[in-house]
Amino acid sequence: MDANMWASIEELRKMLDAHHAAAGQDVLPQRLLKIIEEVGELSQAYQGFIGANPRKGVTHTQEDVLMEVCDVIIAAAVTLATLSSDPDSTLRRNVEHVAKRALSEAVESPDRTDGGGPIGRWDGVARSDRP
C-alpha cells in the first residue's frame, strides 16, 4: 500500500477509535470482530457468485467478490494500524517473510483438467497472468 492509502487507513482508525471510546468499547475486540464480519460477507459473496445455494442460484458478481476482498483488507489494515506504530513496515516485513518461505517451499501441483468447478467462472485477471 502506498502512503496515501496508509493515510486513509489512519484516518479511519482515528475515527473508529473515537467512536469506540465514546461508546465505552475496547478497540481491539471491535477491530477483530470487524475482520470476522467482513470475511463472512466475502464468503457470502463468493457463494452467491458460484451459485452454491441451489434455492437462490447466482446472486453476486465478480465485482461483488472483489469489493468484499477489499473490505477484508481494509479492516485488517485498520487493525494492523491499531496494533503497530509502523504498519507499513510491519506489513512489508511480513509479506517478504511469507513470500520467501512460501517460494522456498513451493511444490509444483498437477494441472486440473477435469473441467469441474463453480457455475460462476473467474475471468482470470486476478491470476498470475497479470503484469
Side-chain angles (χ1 to χ4, degrees), residues 63-115:
E63 185 64 23
D64 294 330
V65 175
L66 295 173
M67 296 310 296
E68 294 302 338
V69 169
C70 290
D71 287 351
V72 171
I73 292 168
I74 293 166
V78 170
T79 303
L80 183 59
T82 300
L83 295 170
S84 173
S85 60
D86 187 357
D88 185 62
S89 293
T90 301
L91 180 60
R92 287 178 191 280
R93 191 172 52 250
N94 266 311
V95 168
E96 289 169 9
H97 172 76
V98 169
K100 182 179 178 182
R101 183 184 67 218
L103 295 173
S104 71
E105 298 172 358
V107 176
E108 270 193 52
S109 59
D111 201 13
R112 221 180 133 184
T113 58
D114 63 1

Side-chain angles (χ1 to χ4, degrees), residues 12-57:
L12 288 169
R13 185 198 63 79
K14 288 178 181 178
M15 181 271 299
L16 291 167
D17 282 355
H19 170 79
H20 294 306
Q25 299 170 333
D26 290 333
V27 172
L28 186 56
Q30 297 305 314
R31 300 288 193 273
L32 298 174
L33 289 170
K34 186 63 176 178
I35 294 170
I36 293 166
E37 174 190 343
E38 296 300 343
V39 168
E41 291 176 10
L42 171 57
S43 175
Q44 182 180 18
Y46 184 71
Q47 288 178 332
F49 174 69
I50 65 170
N53 184 332
R55 185 176 53 83
K56 294 181 180 180

